[in-house]
Structures are given as C-alpha cells and as structure tokens.
Amino acid sequence: MKTIIASMIFGLSFIACQSHAQVKSGTFNFTLKMLLSRDVPEITVADAAKNSGRYMFLDAREQKEYNVSHLPSTRFVGYDSFSITFLNDLPKDKPLVVYCSIGKRSEDITRKLKKAGFTNVHNLYGGIFEWVNQGNQVYDLQNKPTDKIHAYGKLWGRFLDKGTKVY
C-alpha cells in the first residue's frame, strides 16, 4: 500500500511539474504549487542569481533565521514585524526580490509591497532553500560565506538538500 501511495504522489508531482518547473526537486515544486497563491510576480533562483547585482534582496524571515545566513545585498524586513515604513527610503520602482525559506512568507510580503505601490518587486520562487540547493552562496552576519542555513523546521527542512541545517 505504501508503494502505491508513494507512486501516486510521485506521479502527481511529476505531472504537476512538467511545465515551467522552477525548482529542481519535483516534490518541492509540487509542494510550492500547492502552497503558493502565485498571484504576485515571481522570479526563479537562476534569474535572480544571474542578475543579483541588479536587485536589492529583502529577507522576509525572522531575525533568528536571518542571523544564521542570508543572500548577498540583503535588507532584513522580517515577517511578523514587517512594516512598509522599513522601505520608505526606497524609490517605488527599485528592483526588489523578496525571499524567505521557501517562498510563502515572501509571497505575502511581496503582495503588501505591490499594494503599497512598489512596481518592480518579485517573490523568489523556492526561497533561500532553492538558492542554496542550486549552489549559490549565503553569508553570515559578518558577511562571510557560510554553509549554514536555518531550516525553519524539520518538515520544511527536508526541502533543503545542501548546506548545514540549523534549527
């Protein structure tokens, strides 16, 4: 019975991920497609990494997650404590990429930014997990490269294939 159920889940995730898969793991992509509303502009990790100098990254995780590691050129904005006033110094057309662990919290923050009039903001599909999974560098509070990633929790940490998981 377990084999049949596992085969069904794999088959469904393969079918769901056939078109426009944006993360490398089919299971992770299937989970994201089920979890995210996808009603805000998204950017793939490959595109964000290739053009990273063009974007300001906004970290929509909690402080303890950011303290473990974050993307380059990142401004911490948080999730529970997020306020649009954190970004009053930015022009509304500033190219922004918002990220969190997998993309759900950052999708919420991206939606708030769009509502506040930001016109060039994208949610990072797959978040910092996919950033690391695709071999991109993250940094600690001293802006030194690190392999540590806050895995948020055991359930979500299973989607983090590379790096050292911190809980």
Side-chain angles (χ1 to χ4, degrees), residues 58-97:
L58 303 178
D59 192 316
R61 300 175 301 154
E62 294 306 313
Q63 189 72 53
K64 66 182 179 179
E65 296 169 87
Y66 175 84
N67 290 351
V68 172
S69 63
H70 51 271
L71 276 56
S73 302
T74 294
R75 180 185 285 194
F76 173 78
V77 295
Y79 182 74
D80 289 335
S81 61
F82 175 78
S83 171
I84 202 70
T85 62
F86 294 164
L87 303 173
N88 280 346
D89 62 316
L90 297 180
K92 297 286 187 177
D93 62 348
K94 175 89 174 158
L96 303 171
V97 173

mmCIF file of all heavy atoms in Angstrom, residues 58-97:
data_model
loop_
_atom_site.group_PDB
_atom_site.id
_atom_site.type_symbol
_atom_site.label_atom_id
_atom_site.label_comp_id
_atom_site.label_asym_id
_atom_site.label_seq_id
_atom_site.Cartn_x
_atom_site.Cartn_y
_atom_site.Cartn_z
ATOM 1 N N LEU A 58 15.260 41.380 -0.193
ATOM 2 C CA LEU A 58 14.596 41.633 1.086
ATOM 3 C C LEU A 58 14.322 40.294 1.750
ATOM 4 O O LEU A 58 13.668 39.422 1.165
ATOM 5 C CB LEU A 58 13.277 42.386 0.881
ATOM 6 C CG LEU A 58 13.360 43.721 0.147
ATOM 7 C CD1 LEU A 58 11.961 44.315 -0.013
ATOM 8 C CD2 LEU A 58 14.286 44.692 0.869
ATOM 9 N N ASP A 59 14.822 40.127 2.968
ATOM 10 C CA ASP A 59 14.655 38.888 3.712
ATOM 11 C C ASP A 59 13.395 38.977 4.561
ATOM 12 O O ASP A 59 13.328 39.764 5.502
ATOM 13 C CB ASP A 59 15.881 38.637 4.584
ATOM 14 C CG ASP A 59 15.930 37.241 5.159
ATOM 15 O OD1 ASP A 59 14.876 36.752 5.638
ATOM 16 O OD2 ASP A 59 17.010 36.631 5.152
ATOM 17 N N ALA A 60 12.412 38.139 4.245
ATOM 18 C CA ALA A 60 11.125 38.147 4.939
ATOM 19 C C ALA A 60 11.019 37.023 5.966
ATOM 20 O O ALA A 60 9.919 36.592 6.307
ATOM 21 C CB ALA A 60 9.986 38.043 3.921
ATOM 22 N N ARG A 61 12.154 36.568 6.469
ATOM 23 C CA ARG A 61 12.147 35.562 7.529
ATOM 24 C C ARG A 61 12.242 36.284 8.871
ATOM 25 O O ARG A 61 12.232 37.507 8.933
ATOM 26 C CB ARG A 61 13.323 34.593 7.345
ATOM 27 C CG ARG A 61 13.265 33.858 6.000
ATOM 28 C CD ARG A 61 14.483 33.004 5.755
ATOM 29 N NE ARG A 61 15.689 33.834 5.768
ATOM 30 C CZ ARG A 61 16.909 33.387 6.072
ATOM 31 N NH1 ARG A 61 17.102 32.122 6.397
ATOM 32 N NH2 ARG A 61 17.944 34.196 6.043
ATOM 33 N N GLU A 62 12.342 35.529 9.919
ATOM 34 C CA GLU A 62 12.504 36.124 11.244
ATOM 35 C C GLU A 62 13.983 36.366 11.528
ATOM 36 O O GLU A 62 14.866 35.791 10.886
ATOM 37 C CB GLU A 62 11.864 35.236 12.306
ATOM 38 C CG GLU A 62 10.348 35.153 12.170
ATOM 39 C CD GLU A 62 9.662 36.516 12.137
ATOM 40 O OE1 GLU A 62 9.976 37.377 12.979
ATOM 41 O OE2 GLU A 62 8.817 36.727 11.249
ATOM 42 N N GLN A 63 14.261 37.224 12.490
ATOM 43 C CA GLN A 63 15.637 37.639 12.792
ATOM 44 C C GLN A 63 16.561 36.458 13.062
ATOM 45 O O GLN A 63 17.691 36.431 12.582
ATOM 46 C CB GLN A 63 15.642 38.595 13.995
ATOM 47 C CG GLN A 63 16.990 39.241 14.251
ATOM 48 C CD GLN A 63 17.356 40.297 13.219
ATOM 49 O OE1 GLN A 63 16.591 41.211 12.978
ATOM 50 N NE2 GLN A 63 18.517 40.176 12.603
ATOM 51 N N LYS A 64 16.093 35.449 13.807
ATOM 52 C CA LYS A 64 16.959 34.310 14.124
ATOM 53 C C LYS A 64 17.343 33.533 12.860
ATOM 54 O O LYS A 64 18.439 32.983 12.785
ATOM 55 C CB LYS A 64 16.315 33.386 15.154
ATOM 56 C CG LYS A 64 15.072 32.680 14.695
ATOM 57 C CD LYS A 64 14.470 31.819 15.794
ATOM 58 C CE LYS A 64 13.205 31.142 15.294
ATOM 59 N NZ LYS A 64 12.632 30.291 16.311
ATOM 60 N N GLU A 65 16.488 33.527 11.845
ATOM 61 C CA GLU A 65 16.801 32.863 10.581
ATOM 62 C C GLU A 65 17.827 33.683 9.798
ATOM 63 O O GLU A 65 18.807 33.143 9.280
ATOM 64 C CB GLU A 65 15.532 32.689 9.745
ATOM 65 C CG GLU A 65 14.499 31.778 10.393
ATOM 66 C CD GLU A 65 13.178 31.839 9.676
ATOM 67 O OE1 GLU A 65 13.003 31.073 8.700
ATOM 68 O OE2 GLU A 65 12.320 32.664 10.065
ATOM 69 N N TYR A 66 17.585 34.987 9.719
ATOM 70 C CA TYR A 66 18.492 35.902 9.023
ATOM 71 C C TYR A 66 19.881 35.856 9.653
ATOM 72 O O TYR A 66 20.890 35.892 8.941
ATOM 73 C CB TYR A 66 17.925 37.316 9.087
ATOM 74 C CG TYR A 66 18.825 38.372 8.511
ATOM 75 C CD1 TYR A 66 18.830 38.635 7.145
ATOM 76 C CD2 TYR A 66 19.678 39.121 9.331
ATOM 77 C CE1 TYR A 66 19.655 39.624 6.603
ATOM 78 C CE2 TYR A 66 20.505 40.102 8.800
ATOM 79 C CZ TYR A 66 20.495 40.339 7.436
ATOM 80 O OH TYR A 66 21.318 41.298 6.913
ATOM 81 N N ASN A 67 19.952 35.772 10.974
ATOM 82 C CA ASN A 67 21.236 35.770 11.684
ATOM 83 C C ASN A 67 22.102 34.566 11.316
ATOM 84 O O ASN A 67 23.324 34.660 11.349
ATOM 85 C CB ASN A 67 21.018 35.798 13.195
ATOM 86 C CG ASN A 67 20.477 37.120 13.675
ATOM 87 O OD1 ASN A 67 20.402 38.104 12.940
ATOM 88 N ND2 ASN A 67 20.053 37.155 14.936
ATOM 89 N N VAL A 68 21.484 33.452 10.956
ATOM 90 C CA VAL A 68 22.246 32.262 10.564
ATOM 91 C C VAL A 68 22.882 32.481 9.200
ATOM 92 O O VAL A 68 24.075 32.245 9.017
ATOM 93 C CB VAL A 68 21.348 31.002 10.556
ATOM 94 C CG1 VAL A 68 22.085 29.806 9.961
ATOM 95 C CG2 VAL A 68 20.871 30.687 11.971
ATOM 96 N N SER A 69 22.092 32.951 8.236
ATOM 97 C CA SER A 69 22.610 33.242 6.901
ATOM 98 C C SER A 69 21.553 33.975 6.086
ATOM 99 O O SER A 69 20.369 33.922 6.396
ATOM 100 C CB SER A 69 23.043 31.968 6.171
ATOM 101 O OG SER A 69 21.943 31.108 5.964
ATOM 102 N N HIS A 70 22.044 34.642 5.051
ATOM 103 C CA HIS A 70 21.161 35.395 4.159
ATOM 104 C C HIS A 70 21.835 35.551 2.800
ATOM 105 O O HIS A 70 23.021 35.282 2.655
ATOM 106 C CB HIS A 70 20.789 36.759 4.753
ATOM 107 C CG HIS A 70 21.978 37.532 5.213
ATOM 108 N ND1 HIS A 70 22.481 37.414 6.496
ATOM 109 C CD2 HIS A 70 22.786 38.403 4.577
ATOM 110 C CE1 HIS A 70 23.544 38.194 6.619
ATOM 111 N NE2 HIS A 70 23.744 38.807 5.469
ATOM 112 N N LEU A 71 21.071 36.001 1.824
ATOM 113 C CA LEU A 71 21.587 36.233 0.484
ATOM 114 C C LEU A 71 22.447 37.496 0.469
ATOM 115 O O LEU A 71 22.362 38.319 1.376
ATOM 116 C CB LEU A 71 20.436 36.380 -0.510
ATOM 117 C CG LEU A 71 19.838 35.095 -1.088
ATOM 118 C CD1 LEU A 71 19.353 34.138 -0.045
ATOM 119 C CD2 LEU A 71 18.744 35.436 -2.074
ATOM 120 N N PRO A 72 23.260 37.668 -0.588
ATOM 121 C CA PRO A 72 24.072 38.888 -0.681
ATOM 122 C C PRO A 72 23.186 40.118 -0.902
ATOM 123 O O PRO A 72 22.082 40.016 -1.422
ATOM 124 C CB PRO A 72 24.954 38.632 -1.908
ATOM 125 C CG PRO A 72 24.225 37.605 -2.704
ATOM 126 C CD PRO A 72 23.460 36.780 -1.724
ATOM 127 N N SER A 73 23.677 41.261 -0.491
ATOM 128 C CA SER A 73 22.970 42.543 -0.681
ATOM 129 C C SER A 73 21.535 42.480 -0.168
ATOM 130 O O SER A 73 20.601 42.871 -0.862
ATOM 131 C CB SER A 73 22.973 42.947 -2.161
ATOM 132 O OG SER A 73 24.288 43.038 -2.635
ATOM 133 N N THR A 74 21.386 41.981 1.050
ATOM 134 C CA THR A 74 20.058 41.785 1.625
ATOM 135 C C THR A 74 19.747 42.805 2.699
ATOM 136 O O THR A 74 20.607 43.153 3.502
ATOM 137 C CB THR A 74 19.951 40.364 2.233
ATOM 138 O OG1 THR A 74 20.023 39.407 1.186
ATOM 139 C CG2 THR A 74 18.659 40.170 2.977
ATOM 140 N N ARG A 75 18.501 43.226 2.705
ATOM 141 C CA ARG A 75 17.972 44.040 3.797
ATOM 142 C C ARG A 75 16.950 43.182 4.538
ATOM 143 O O ARG A 75 16.040 42.623 3.933
ATOM 144 C CB ARG A 75 17.297 45.300 3.269
ATOM 145 C CG ARG A 75 16.744 46.157 4.420
ATOM 146 C CD ARG A 75 15.967 47.353 3.938
ATOM 147 N NE ARG A 75 16.865 48.389 3.439
ATOM 148 C CZ ARG A 75 16.473 49.639 3.204
ATOM 149 N NH1 ARG A 75 15.223 50.006 3.411
ATOM 150 N NH2 ARG A 75 17.335 50.528 2.754
ATOM 151 N N PHE A 76 17.135 43.074 5.835
ATOM 152 C CA PHE A 76 16.179 42.329 6.658
ATOM 153 C C PHE A 76 14.906 43.156 6.827
ATOM 154 O O PHE A 76 14.968 44.324 7.203
ATOM 155 C CB PHE A 76 16.794 42.018 8.035
ATOM 156 C CG PHE A 76 15.809 41.409 8.986
ATOM 157 C CD1 PHE A 76 15.476 40.074 8.882
ATOM 158 C CD2 PHE A 76 15.211 42.176 9.968
ATOM 159 C CE1 PHE A 76 14.553 39.507 9.746
ATOM 160 C CE2 PHE A 76 14.291 41.624 10.831
ATOM 161 C CZ PHE A 76 13.963 40.286 10.727
ATOM 162 N N VAL A 77 13.746 42.550 6.524
ATOM 163 C CA VAL A 77 12.464 43.222 6.741
ATOM 164 C C VAL A 77 11.547 42.417 7.645
ATOM 165 O O VAL A 77 10.563 42.941 8.155
ATOM 166 C CB VAL A 77 11.736 43.564 5.416
ATOM 167 C CG1 VAL A 77 12.543 44.578 4.610
ATOM 168 C CG2 VAL A 77 11.415 42.326 4.604
ATOM 169 N N GLY A 78 11.863 41.142 7.851
ATOM 170 C CA GLY A 78 11.064 40.304 8.722
ATOM 171 C C GLY A 78 9.709 39.953 8.146
ATOM 172 O O GLY A 78 9.353 40.351 7.041
ATOM 173 N N TYR A 79 8.973 39.197 8.939
ATOM 174 C CA TYR A 79 7.628 38.808 8.536
ATOM 175 C C TYR A 79 6.621 39.272 9.588
ATOM 176 O O TYR A 79 5.797 40.129 9.326
ATOM 177 C CB TYR A 79 7.538 37.294 8.323
ATOM 178 C CG TYR A 79 6.175 36.856 7.858
ATOM 179 C CD1 TYR A 79 5.764 37.096 6.548
ATOM 180 C CD2 TYR A 79 5.295 36.207 8.711
ATOM 181 C CE1 TYR A 79 4.510 36.721 6.106
ATOM 182 C CE2 TYR A 79 4.037 35.817 8.280
ATOM 183 C CZ TYR A 79 3.647 36.073 6.982
ATOM 184 O OH TYR A 79 2.400 35.700 6.555
ATOM 185 N N ASP A 80 6.732 38.730 10.788
ATOM 186 C CA ASP A 80 5.800 39.124 11.852
ATOM 187 C C ASP A 80 5.916 40.602 12.185
ATOM 188 O O ASP A 80 4.918 41.252 12.500
ATOM 189 C CB ASP A 80 6.035 38.289 13.121
ATOM 190 C CG ASP A 80 5.595 36.841 12.959
ATOM 191 O OD1 ASP A 80 4.708 36.578 12.110
ATOM 192 O OD2 ASP A 80 6.132 35.974 13.655
ATOM 193 N N SER A 81 7.114 41.129 12.095
ATOM 194 C CA SER A 81 7.344 42.533 12.452
ATOM 195 C C SER A 81 7.399 43.457 11.237
ATOM 196 O O SER A 81 7.710 44.639 11.373
ATOM 197 C CB SER A 81 8.653 42.658 13.233
ATOM 198 O OG SER A 81 9.734 42.218 12.428
ATOM 199 N N PHE A 82 7.087 42.949 10.053
ATOM 200 C CA PHE A 82 7.211 43.742 8.832
ATOM 201 C C PHE A 82 6.337 44.995 8.883
ATOM 202 O O PHE A 82 5.198 44.975 9.321
ATOM 203 C CB PHE A 82 6.809 42.921 7.603
ATOM 204 C CG PHE A 82 6.818 43.734 6.342
ATOM 205 C CD1 PHE A 82 8.004 44.024 5.706
ATOM 206 C CD2 PHE A 82 5.641 44.239 5.814
ATOM 207 C CE1 PHE A 82 8.029 44.795 4.546
ATOM 208 C CE2 PHE A 82 5.639 45.003 4.661
ATOM 209 C CZ PHE A 82 6.837 45.279 4.025
ATOM 210 N N SER A 83 6.929 46.092 8.418
ATOM 211 C CA SER A 83 6.202 47.349 8.237
ATOM 212 C C SER A 83 6.676 47.983 6.939
ATOM 213 O O SER A 83 7.878 48.024 6.663
ATOM 214 C CB SER A 83 6.465 48.299 9.407
ATOM 215 O OG SER A 83 5.925 49.572 9.120
ATOM 216 N N ILE A 84 5.756 48.489 6.176
ATOM 217 C CA ILE A 84 6.102 49.147 4.918
ATOM 218 C C ILE A 84 7.019 50.338 5.162
ATOM 219 O O ILE A 84 7.816 50.704 4.293
ATOM 220 C CB ILE A 84 4.825 49.538 4.133
ATOM 221 C CG1 ILE A 84 5.128 49.709 2.642
ATOM 222 C CG2 ILE A 84 4.164 50.754 4.707
ATOM 223 C CD1 ILE A 84 5.441 48.442 1.925
ATOM 224 N N THR A 85 6.970 50.905 6.357
ATOM 225 C CA THR A 85 7.830 52.052 6.684
ATOM 226 C C THR A 85 9.308 51.679 6.671
ATOM 227 O O THR A 85 10.149 52.568 6.553
ATOM 228 C CB THR A 85 7.461 52.669 8.052
ATOM 229 O OG1 THR A 85 7.658 51.684 9.070
ATOM 230 C CG2 THR A 85 6.017 53.157 8.066
ATOM 231 N N PHE A 86 9.628 50.367 6.771
ATOM 232 C CA PHE A 86 11.026 49.934 6.693
ATOM 233 C C PHE A 86 11.642 50.303 5.342
ATOM 234 O O PHE A 86 12.857 50.339 5.206
ATOM 235 C CB PHE A 86 11.153 48.423 6.872
ATOM 236 C CG PHE A 86 10.766 47.896 8.227
ATOM 237 C CD1 PHE A 86 10.519 46.541 8.395
ATOM 238 C CD2 PHE A 86 10.638 48.721 9.333
ATOM 239 C CE1 PHE A 86 10.173 46.028 9.633
ATOM 240 C CE2 PHE A 86 10.284 48.221 10.571
ATOM 241 C CZ PHE A 86 10.056 46.871 10.721
ATOM 242 N N LEU A 87 10.793 50.551 4.357
ATOM 243 C CA LEU A 87 11.274 50.774 2.998
ATOM 244 C C LEU A 87 10.957 52.175 2.487
ATOM 245 O O LEU A 87 11.010 52.425 1.284
ATOM 246 C CB LEU A 87 10.678 49.717 2.065
ATOM 247 C CG LEU A 87 10.971 48.271 2.488
ATOM 248 C CD1 LEU A 87 10.217 47.295 1.616
ATOM 249 C CD2 LEU A 87 12.461 47.988 2.444
ATOM 250 N N ASN A 88 10.652 53.086 3.390
ATOM 251 C CA ASN A 88 10.310 54.458 2.987
ATOM 252 C C ASN A 88 11.430 55.150 2.221
ATOM 253 O O ASN A 88 11.180 56.072 1.461
ATOM 254 C CB ASN A 88 9.926 55.309 4.205
ATOM 255 C CG ASN A 88 8.502 55.049 4.644
ATOM 256 O OD1 ASN A 88 7.704 54.454 3.923
ATOM 257 N ND2 ASN A 88 8.176 55.500 5.849
ATOM 258 N N ASP A 89 12.674 54.711 2.419
ATOM 259 C CA ASP A 89 13.808 55.347 1.750
ATOM 260 C C ASP A 89 14.016 54.858 0.316
ATOM 261 O O ASP A 89 14.861 55.389 -0.392
ATOM 262 C CB ASP A 89 15.082 55.108 2.565
ATOM 263 C CG ASP A 89 15.442 53.631 2.680
ATOM 264 O OD1 ASP A 89 14.526 52.805 2.931
ATOM 265 O OD2 ASP A 89 16.624 53.294 2.523
ATOM 266 N N LEU A 90 13.246 53.883 -0.115
ATOM 267 C CA LEU A 90 13.443 53.309 -1.447
ATOM 268 C C LEU A 90 12.465 53.882 -2.465
ATOM 269 O O LEU A 90 11.285 54.068 -2.160
ATOM 270 C CB LEU A 90 13.242 51.788 -1.398
ATOM 271 C CG LEU A 90 14.196 50.981 -0.534
ATOM 272 C CD1 LEU A 90 13.864 49.508 -0.607
ATOM 273 C CD2 LEU A 90 15.645 51.237 -0.934
ATOM 274 N N PRO A 91 12.947 54.112 -3.687
ATOM 275 C CA PRO A 91 12.015 54.508 -4.749
ATOM 276 C C PRO A 91 11.075 53.343 -5.054
ATOM 277 O O PRO A 91 11.461 52.175 -4.949
ATOM 278 C CB PRO A 91 12.922 54.815 -5.940
ATOM 279 C CG PRO A 91 14.271 54.320 -5.594
ATOM 280 C CD PRO A 91 14.328 54.051 -4.127
ATOM 281 N N LYS A 92 9.857 53.656 -5.435
ATOM 282 C CA LYS A 92 8.835 52.625 -5.677
ATOM 283 C C LYS A 92 9.165 51.730 -6.868
ATOM 284 O O LYS A 92 8.599 50.644 -6.993
ATOM 285 C CB LYS A 92 7.466 53.274 -5.901
ATOM 286 C CG LYS A 92 6.948 54.045 -4.713
ATOM 287 C CD LYS A 92 6.461 53.138 -3.616
ATOM 288 C CE LYS A 92 5.804 53.969 -2.528
ATOM 289 N NZ LYS A 92 5.241 53.213 -1.476
ATOM 290 N N ASP A 93 10.102 52.165 -7.732
ATOM 291 C CA ASP A 93 10.457 51.333 -8.880
ATOM 292 C C ASP A 93 11.788 50.587 -8.684
ATOM 293 O O ASP A 93 12.310 49.984 -9.623
ATOM 294 C CB ASP A 93 10.502 52.166 -10.160
ATOM 295 C CG ASP A 93 11.563 53.271 -10.123
ATOM 296 O OD1 ASP A 93 12.111 53.555 -9.035
ATOM 297 O OD2 ASP A 93 11.838 53.845 -11.194
ATOM 298 N N LYS A 94 12.315 50.611 -7.476
ATOM 299 C CA LYS A 94 13.566 49.902 -7.162
ATOM 300 C C LYS A 94 13.369 48.409 -7.428
ATOM 301 O O LYS A 94 12.388 47.818 -6.974
ATOM 302 C CB LYS A 94 13.924 50.131 -5.692
ATOM 303 C CG LYS A 94 15.118 49.363 -5.204
ATOM 304 C CD LYS A 94 16.367 50.138 -5.420
ATOM 305 C CE LYS A 94 17.556 49.415 -4.800
ATOM 306 N NZ LYS A 94 18.786 49.836 -5.408
ATOM 307 N N PRO A 95 14.273 47.760 -8.170
ATOM 308 C CA PRO A 95 14.160 46.319 -8.402
ATOM 309 C C PRO A 95 14.398 45.539 -7.100
ATOM 310 O O PRO A 95 15.494 45.585 -6.531
ATOM 311 C CB PRO A 95 15.249 46.017 -9.428
ATOM 312 C CG PRO A 95 15.611 47.333 -10.027
ATOM 313 C CD PRO A 95 15.359 48.352 -8.954
ATOM 314 N N LEU A 96 13.359 44.852 -6.627
ATOM 315 C CA LEU A 96 13.406 44.130 -5.358
ATOM 316 C C LEU A 96 13.077 42.659 -5.571
ATOM 317 O O LEU A 96 12.189 42.320 -6.358
ATOM 318 C CB LEU A 96 12.393 44.715 -4.374
ATOM 319 C CG LEU A 96 12.509 46.195 -4.037
ATOM 320 C CD1 LEU A 96 11.296 46.649 -3.225
ATOM 321 C CD2 LEU A 96 13.802 46.477 -3.303
ATOM 322 N N VAL A 97 13.765 41.802 -4.831
ATOM 323 C CA VAL A 97 13.434 40.384 -4.769
ATOM 324 C C VAL A 97 13.238 40.048 -3.289
ATOM 325 O O VAL A 97 14.141 40.252 -2.482
ATOM 326 C CB VAL A 97 14.536 39.496 -5.381
ATOM 327 C CG1 VAL A 97 14.238 38.020 -5.135
ATOM 328 C CG2 VAL A 97 14.695 39.774 -6.866
#
